[in-house]
Each structure stands twice: as structure tokens, then as C-alpha cells.
Amino acid sequence: CDANENANMDNVLICRSFYEAINTLLESYSDKLENIYAIGGTSIYNEALKYPVGFLYRIYLTRVFTDVA
């Protein structure tokens, strides 16, 4: 992951993959973490579900019953 160089986003890391993001968080920030949330589209959810057994603790599912165009 790369630290963002924008002065308005000092606490932002940009990672190129889900695995890179999780590994960076666990290796560099584990003492500061309480929760990790996977918020995103289908590909992010799929990657979170594939992560090693025991990593995913809970799923909050929201269903939207409408057509989005």
C-alpha cells in the first residue's frame, strides 16, 4: 500500500488488492485495529469470503428491493 500524498487525506492508504490491504493492516496496524469492514461491490465481498477460515466473523447484509438503472 502507498500512503496518499494529498495533504487532505493524511490517514489514507491506497492498496492495489484486497489481500494487500488486509496484509498491510495486520502487519503494520494490528495494535490499532478493532474491526475491519469490507465495504464494496461484488468483487470485494467475494475476496472477503475467500480469505482464510476464521477471518470473517460476521456479515451485515442489506437488501435493496428496487431496480437501479
Side-chain angles (χ1 to χ4, degrees), residues 1-64:
C1 292
D2 301 319
N4 192 318
E5 296 178 15
N6 185 335
N8 296 326
M9 297 174 52
D10 290 334
N11 296 320
V12 175
L13 293 174
I14 299 173
C15 301
R16 289 165 186 79
S17 70
F18 180 81
Y19 289 100
E20 181 184 5
I22 296 302
N23 290 332
T24 299
L25 290 172
L26 295 177
E27 291 173 5
S28 302
Y29 301 96
S30 63
D31 59 330
K32 299 174 185 173
L33 290 176
E34 187 174 327
N35 294 302
I36 298 174
Y37 294 93
I39 302 170
T42 302
S43 63
I44 298 294
Y45 297 139
N46 284 334
E47 293 300 317
L49 290 169
K50 291 178 191 174
Y51 212 75
V53 173
F55 180 77
L56 185 62
Y57 174 71
R58 183 177 292 152
I59 296 174
Y60 296 96
L61 175 66
T62 301
R63 292 186 178 174
V64 179

